[in-house]
Amino acid sequence: MTGWGEFRLVGVERTRERREEAARAEARETPEEREAAWMSLFEGPMRPPELLRAGWREWLGFNRAVPGDVLVRLLDTATDLLWRKDLPPGVVDAAVDHPDRNVRSQLAARRHPLTAAQWTRLILAEPGSARRALLAEDAVQTGAELTAEGYERLAGDASALVRAAAARFPALPGALRAALAADPDARVRAVACTGWELLAPSAREALLGDADSGVRAAALLRHHATHPLTRSVFEEQGFGDEAMETCRLERRFAEYLCEHEDAARRRSVARNPHLDPDLVAVLAEDDDDNVRLQVSVRPELTEEQRVAVRANVDPDGIRHTLPWVHALHDDPEAMRRCAASSHLLLRSSAARARRLPPDVVERLARDEDPVVRLFLAESCDDAPASMLLEVWTWWNGSFSFPGRPRSHPNFPRRDLLRYADDPHHRLRQLALDDPDSTAVLVERFSRDPHWEVRRRAAEDPRLSTASAVRLLDDPHEAVRETAVRHGRLPARTLVRLLRDRRTFRDALVNPTIPVAVMRRMAEPAG
């Protein structure tokens, strides 16, 4: 606006045309120019500084085209590489035997699936007893097993910390478990109580009468899983939530806890599977919302009893699968009951089953709660195509289930061109997944008003080189980042992006970087 009632119109069409022309010009590259561009990455007056080269070494390993031997070399400088869950077996094996203990510990911390032999080598390679014990604990938490030699070496370790860690392995051979239950160190004997059901009666008696009070307390906690726990023993031993939630409670003690003034104690006892039905009924009328919620998800309740409990479930809150429902995922009748329940957490938990009967799938796919449908889309191989398409309109995948629902095997793959002009941008982009879609549609979508559609075009290998270059200047960051990874970018463009501290990370995962260039990038300084 230049004055009262006066406007100056600035033409942008020519600017757009100039950008298109510049992109087309940059896209033209001869084989000789391409080779020269890659040579210039390392040579000439613009040699890359060491800080940039360190960045290359740190992030290059996330390129899926990097050969295994280069990945092994990168382990020396790029421990973040171990975040990749698709590392070749040889690279994982090299990490297990890596001389740098930080690399080895990162491998365990990132929960890589290791064989029993690899876990054994990983743990036994640690010279320090504290780190051996920590790695053994990591193995237990991941449900890993060791070799026979591994169990024997840990159970006979000179360090009590390591022997205690060995006692936690569920698959520890019986003879070793019995030896640890009689270990000279009280800390080891206390941990050995975690395998209570696997110990011989004589070993249990010895632990219950142990000279060490900590061992006796650990043994009593396990003993009272099947023998009533009195209030006096509870208070004398200083037991806490675990005892209230898991032990078989003496009747008067259970009554005392159900009427306790501390709501936290009532919540704990509400989780106890051994409570008498009349005490469960008392807690079902509790003034505390969380107490009633704990009662409402007890497995023994009938649907009528469950409905009668005034339980409020936040539909937007974090939901975890109920353990008892998870244990029944392979029971069709149990899944029918859970799917038909009025309780949101039971339906959500059932939707996490990998396989379900057709009638259960149909019911859950029509559930009024979107999270139930989302869980079904993420976890169940039987989820129907129509529901998957509906979920796609509002969900783009999570860290735990990347790609779902679009990557689900039942997601529609044909007859998607009908969405090419759909007003909903998430449906519109699906047209490119149709096997009958063309490069012409890719080009059209690369100019779509919505950034998600343009980003989807930027992922398509049919996108022209000129359009890939043009999208590097897209207004939306996600489109620019995707375009940087496109396999048709000219070498000189990619070299420029690799030299830029703002773009080099995305450029490093571009699949067209020559292997010879990758090898030079992985070289240490000097």
Side-chain angles (χ1 to χ4, degrees):
M1 187 171 179
T2 59
W4 290 104
E6 297 181 15
F7 291 87
R8 177 177 296 163
L9 298 178
V10 179
V12 296
E13 188 61 35
R14 184 57 191 155
T15 301
R16 186 179 298 114
E17 289 177 2
R18 284 198 295 270
R19 287 177 178 170
E20 296 272 1
E21 290 170 3
R24 286 194 292 271
E26 187 166 349
R28 292 190 288 270
E29 185 177 60
T30 66
E32 293 76 18
E33 289 172 331
R34 191 170 188 84
E35 184 177 353
W38 284 120
M39 290 294 295
S40 72
L41 181 61
F42 304 98
E43 308 299 338
M46 296 293 291
R47 294 171 70 91
E50 176 51 31
L51 188 62
L52 177 61
R53 296 199 62 152
W56 290 349
R57 292 192 296 272
E58 184 177 355
W59 296 98
L60 177 62
F62 288 94
N63 188 321
R64 267 54 182 179
V66 176
D69 64 301
V70 177
L71 291 175
V72 171
R73 184 188 306 176
L74 289 171
L75 287 172
D76 294 334
T77 55
T79 55
D80 279 342
L81 170 62
L82 296 174
W83 278 110
R84 276 186 55 176
K85 297 299 185 185
D86 61 343
L87 288 173
V91 179
V92 176
D93 217 43
V96 169
D97 298 320
H98 200 278
D100 188 337
R101 71 179 188 181
N102 290 323
V103 173
R104 301 194 302 270
S105 61
Q106 286 291 333
L107 187 66
R110 302 288 158 77
R111 297 291 191 263
H112 267 279
L114 303 178
T115 65
Q118 286 173 328
W119 267 115
T120 300
R121 289 186 355 242
L122 189 68
I123 296 170
L124 297 182
E126 288 297 337
S129 59
R131 292 181 70 89
R132 283 200 304 281
L134 284 173
L135 283 176
E137 294 279 2
D138 285 339
V140 171
Q141 289 175 16
T142 59
E145 294 186 3
L146 305 182
T147 63
E149 180 194 4
Y151 288 129
E152 188 171 352
R153 291 270 300 276
L154 290 187
D157 199 279
S159 168
L161 280 176
V162 177
R163 299 198 303 278
R168 297 187 187 278
F169 280 95
L172 187 72
L176 296 178
R177 188 178 302 281
L180 293 176
D183 194 273
D185 194 295
R187 292 171 296 177
V188 179
R189 300 197 301 277
V191 175
C193 293
T194 57
W196 191 256
E197 311 82 15
L198 302 173
L199 292 172
S202 58
R204 296 183 196 177
E205 287 297 323
L207 291 168
L208 288 170
D210 198 278
D212 185 87
S213 61
V215 176
R216 291 197 305 275
L220 279 169
L221 189 62
R222 306 299 170 178
H223 171 76
H224 286 296
T226 52
H227 297 76
L229 173 65
T230 64
R231 178 180 173 184
S232 61
V233 173
F234 176 86
E235 294 175 347
E236 177 186 338
Q237 297 297 330
F239 287 150
D241 290 345
E242 184 180 359
M244 289 185 285
E245 294 177 10
T246 63
C247 289
R248 188 175 296 277
L249 306 176
E250 187 266 334
R251 171 71 191 199
R252 284 176 298 176
F253 182 37
E255 292 173 350
Y256 164 76
L257 290 175
C258 290
E259 297 173 356
H260 202 281
E261 61 182 11
D262 187 351
R265 290 206 160 186
R266 301 199 303 277
R267 284 195 294 273
S268 292
V269 77
R271 300 185 184 98
N272 191 300
H274 308 296
L275 277 187
D276 291 334
D278 61 317
L279 295 182
V280 173
V282 169
L283 293 172
E285 299 292 334
D286 197 278
D287 292 336
D288 187 89
D289 290 341
N290 288 319
V291 173
R292 297 196 306 276
L293 178 60
Q294 291 299 326
V295 172
S296 71
V297 295
R298 290 178 66 90
E300 78 274 17
L301 296 188
T302 65
E303 184 58 22
E304 291 74 18
Q305 291 171 323
R306 210 178 299 281
V307 170
V309 182
R310 293 178 295 110
N312 298 316
V313 179
D314 180 4
D316 298 321
I318 296 175
R319 299 185 203 172
H320 299 287
T321 303
L322 297 170
W324 66 268
V325 177
H326 180 270
L328 295 171
H329 272 173
D330 293 329
D331 184 333
E333 287 307 315
M335 290 302 96
R336 287 189 176 91
R337 292 192 297 272
C338 291
S341 176
S342 63
H343 204 295
L344 196 54
L345 296 185
L346 267 69
R347 303 201 308 275
S348 297
S349 298
R352 282 296 191 198
R354 183 172 175 270
R355 305 306 303 260
L356 287 167
D359 58 310
V360 176
V361 172
E362 182 183 359
R363 177 185 285 273
L364 292 174
R366 292 184 286 104
D367 199 283
E368 63 183 12
D369 182 76
V371 178
V372 171
R373 302 196 303 276
L374 171 61
F375 283 7
L376 193 70
E378 289 182 330
S379 301
C380 184
D381 289 350
D382 304 301
S386 58
M387 187 213 69
L388 293 169
L389 195 62
E390 181 269 328
V391 172
W392 165 255
T393 62
W394 51 268
W395 190 257
N396 199 30
S398 65
F399 181 78
S400 302
F401 299 90
R404 291 279 176 117
R406 187 173 154 215
S407 63
H408 193 287
N410 292 344
F411 195 84
R413 298 286 184 265
R414 291 194 168 273
D415 195 25
L416 297 175
L417 283 175
R418 59 194 171 111
Y419 295 121
D421 297 303
D422 197 284
H424 198 305
H425 66 276
R426 292 190 63 76
L427 290 175
R428 194 160 64 247
Q429 62 185 281
L430 291 178
L432 292 182
D433 292 341
D434 194 295
D436 294 329
S437 64
T438 64
V440 174
L441 185 62
V442 179
E443 293 298 312
R444 175 183 140 193
F445 277 8
S446 75
R447 295 170 174 82
D448 193 272
H450 200 282
W451 69 269
E452 277 198 34
V453 181
R454 299 197 304 277
R455 182 180 64 179
R456 174 64 186 85
E459 295 174 346
D460 200 299
R462 296 169 294 181
L463 184 71
S464 69
T465 300
S467 290
V469 173
R470 172 174 50 80
L471 290 177
L472 293 173
D473 294 321
D474 193 272
H476 200 282
E477 182 181 17
V479 179
R480 298 195 301 272
E481 290 176 349
T482 304
V484 169
R485 304 169 190 168
H486 200 278
R488 287 195 173 182
L489 287 181
R492 56 171 166 261
T493 306
L494 201 47
V495 165
R496 171 171 55 81
L497 295 167
L498 286 167
R499 286 180 171 275
D500 192 324
R501 62 181 177 83
R502 298 166 300 179
T503 57
F504 80 88
R505 290 185 184 180
D506 288 303
L508 282 169
V509 300
N510 192 295
T512 61
I513 300 175
V515 171
V517 174
M518 293 179 182
R519 293 189 188 282
R520 289 193 66 177
M521 284 181 160
E523 291 175 358

